Amino acid sequence: MIATILIANRGEIACRVIKTARRLGLTTVAVFAEPDRDAKHVQLADQAICLGPASVQASYLNQAAILQAAKDTGADAIHPGYGFLSEQADFARACTEQGICFIGPAWQTIHTMGDKIQAKMLMETLNIPCIPGCHSLHPLSETALLSQANHIGFPLLIKAAAGGGGKGMRVVHHPQDFIAAFKLAQAEAEKFFGAADVLLEKFVLKPRHIEIQIIADQQGHVVCLGSRDCSIQRRHQKIIEEAPAPELSKTALDGMIQAATTIAQHLKYVGVGTLEFLVDTAEDFYFMEMNTRLQVEHTVTEMIYDLDLVAWQIRIANGESIP
């Protein structure tokens, strides 16, 4: 059973996990970079360990230092929060190999769903609708790339395979702009995610961006907690989250819930996660991606359902079954 949790993060999400862990009677360990020594999450935790200087690579992304901090403090588990190491399969694997509970899904699941190309190929095998596009782009000549783009049709979206948050994304409306945009997307993907792989998708006009929040336990049970609508965005960054998604037909909602359940069951998913879909004007839905972690907007669902999702992450990691 988990007794001590190290939170491998900072700021609001670290404070949020500490408060829930304390309510559950658990001991908490904060980690911090030197400039964050007096930060609120450091003050709230039972123990605090300095990871290093201000650079996130030397502190909050320093896997060796975080794992050593867990060992030094006797932490049974690590909660990654969101961002930083939350979707790093190699970190989750290292935790498991060193006998520390990673509060999240198995590293293999993070690896599979963290690559948008792999994820879409999996969706095809599960007969989950995906946006028409192409993910076999390397190595292709500029002529062949343009041929693929014309086959998909304009406008189209170029998207980083390992990315998120709007980085490595370009909408292209005209063929003459495609190659330049493709190179820019590749360069940005390499800069932010360390991998230049990108994929092409048909750009859905006037889409709705719908999220399905799931909880899944080690016994194979999956529960979908309704929907969130995050269609109001700026530069692919979500601005407003609304739950449940308004004016969404029962057919579309039921279809996405069934798809989310199918995906989670196939993956043998454990923990909290979010399936993201695009819905077009005809209310046809398409799989976008899966976030194998807690999301910033998880609190919207918590308010609607009166549940503590962080508490359920911890309970599931302890082997508890969803009621």
Side-chain angles (χ1 to χ4, degrees), residues 12 77 164 234 237 239 282:
E12 187 276 335
R234 180 175 183 267
Q237 295 281 351
I239 297 173

Side-chain angles (χ1 to χ4, degrees), residues 198-217:
V198 298
L199 54 96
L200 307 181
E201 289 181 348
K202 180 70 177 174
F203 185 65
V204 180
L205 297 172
K206 297 182 179 179
R208 294 184 66 182
H209 189 159
I210 305 297
E211 301 173 335
I212 304 295
Q213 177 75 63
I214 67 163
I215 306 178
D217 61 26

